[in-house]
């Protein structure tokens, strides 16, 4: 729901095609300081926007002259911002000054990522590449600045398709012939991402630092991780496939599968709670359309008579009870319990007391449910037929 003050952000358009309510997802540089990105060699900017056709938020990636629309994931951050935003992490690879000793390589407990986390990322990224390559396409944006992280470890690849548009050549008769070359580049890019994660530093993937980076991997991680990185970064005489690294992943795949299943169980439990919350909200919304209605079909006393009066007293029973000293008695469990009994129409009896406390009506929840359903149905029928 984030929005900007349009009067203070005149550089952000109010609408772009069918999208409105633009909100910057990245800092907007001043017009005189626009810089080309290292990935696309174009000036880019990124916004959240709402599509007027379906009223859903989207991520708009603007490559100045073009706008790409992607799914929007609220709260997502890039792999770069989560893992590579600490300049001190590159200290192991920075050139030492004259007379200084070589710094000792960092250990896992001293800042390097747990190997289990790296394998979790490998499984997801290799799965993404497998899906793309199986479709006869190439990713071409396997870079920490274009990999999104939502939650703790869920990855998504952003900006796919941008290079295909920017580098499109009309003179090329068969674009498919270049795909094997691009797919091999994807595997190298994946190797660089994994190596950077293992070193916890983007400096580790620079050519002059590769030897030190691999030594660091050998000291701190398993031989499987080392061999996977070497396989991805070493040029082979034959075309490689992302499926080739599956034996290196091995049984770790089941670890990620188990984690995914556990995550699904947690989400389903939370979803079940939201389903119940939605059901209770619909009850309250219907009750709100009935209670205290000023007039219905020119009858100003409609909400105070008949079945509607019972529902008014039930509303007071839900929300307006007081203690013996006259202070408000607020108990959410009481509200939830009473609404559930109303929805089920249980035969349990309930005492409804008038506001002047001069009359007490004893009814069952099944009676209240009948009054509730018939009254709301009466309102719906009137709304469907329109004014008399």
């Amino acid at each position: 729901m984030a929005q900007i003050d349009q009067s203070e952000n005149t550089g952000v358009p109010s609408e772009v095609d069918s999208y409105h309510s633009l909100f910057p997802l990245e800092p907007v540089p001043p017009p005189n300081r626009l810089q080309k990105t290292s990935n696309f060699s174009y000036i880019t900017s990124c916004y959240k926007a709402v599509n007027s056709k379906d009223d859903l938020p989207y991520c708009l990636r603007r490559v100045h002259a073009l706008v790409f629309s992607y799914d929007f994931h609220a709260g997502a951050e890039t792999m770069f911002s989560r893992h590579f935003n600490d300049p001190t992490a590159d200290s192991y690879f920075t050139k030492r000054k004259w007379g200084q000793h070589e710094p000792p390589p960092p250990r896992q407990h001293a800042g390097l990522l747990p190997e289990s986390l790296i394998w979790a990322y490998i499984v997801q990224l290799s799965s993404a590449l497998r899906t793309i390559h199986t479709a006869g396409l190439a990713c071409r944006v396997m870079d920490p600045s274009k990999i999104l992280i939502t939650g703790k470890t869920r990855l998504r690849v952003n900006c796919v398709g941008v290079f295909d548009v920017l580098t499109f050549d009309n003179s090329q008769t068969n674009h498919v012939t270049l795909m094997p070359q691009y797919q091999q580049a994807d595997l190298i890019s994946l190797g660089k991402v994994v190596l950077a994660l293992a070193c916890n530093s983007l400096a580790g993937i620079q050519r002059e630092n590769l030897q030190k980076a691999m030594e660091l991997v050998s000291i701190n991680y398993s031989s499987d991780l080392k061999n996977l990185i070497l396989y991805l970064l070493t040029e082979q005489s034959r075309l490689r496939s992302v499926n080739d690294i599956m034996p290196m992943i091995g049984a770790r795949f089941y670890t990620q599968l188990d984690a995914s299943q556990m995550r699904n169980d947690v989400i389903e439990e939370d979803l079940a709670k939201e389903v119940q919350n939605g059901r209770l909200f619909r009850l309250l919304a219907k009750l709100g359309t009935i209670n205290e209605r000023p007039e219905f079909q020119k009858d100003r006393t409609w909400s105070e008579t008949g079945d509607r009066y019972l529902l008014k007293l039930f509303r007071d029973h839900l929300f307006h009870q007081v203690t013996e000293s006259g202070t408000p008695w607020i108990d959410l469990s009481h509200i939830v319990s009473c609404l559930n009994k109303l929805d089920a129409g249980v035969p349990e009896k309930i005492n409804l007391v008038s506001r002047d406390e001069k009359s007490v009506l004893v009814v069952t929840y099944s009676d209240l449910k009948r009054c509730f359903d018939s009254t709301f149905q009466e309102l719906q029928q009137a709304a469907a037929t329109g004014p008399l």
Side-chain angles (χ1 to χ4, degrees), residues 16-20 49-58 69:
V16 175
D17 194 46
S18 59
Y19 298 91
H20 62 88
V50 178
N51 191 332
S52 57
K53 296 179 180 178
D54 57 18
D55 234 19
L56 295 176
Y58 289 84
S69 178

Side-chain angles (χ1 to χ4, degrees), residues 6-57:
Q6 200 67 40
S7 62
E8 297 180 0
N9 296 268
T10 55
V12 179
S14 57
E15 293 183 2
V16 175
D17 194 46
S18 59
Y19 298 91
H20 62 88
S21 304
L22 274 69
F23 184 86
L25 295 177
E26 299 172 349
V28 180
N32 57 344
R33 294 185 181 179
L34 294 176
Q35 295 181 347
K36 297 180 180 180
T37 63
S38 58
N39 295 93
F40 303 123
S41 299
Y42 283 87
I43 298 172
T44 67
S45 50
C46 191
Y47 303 89
K48 181 211 73 173
V50 178
N51 191 332
S52 57
K53 296 179 180 178
D54 57 18
D55 234 19
L56 295 176

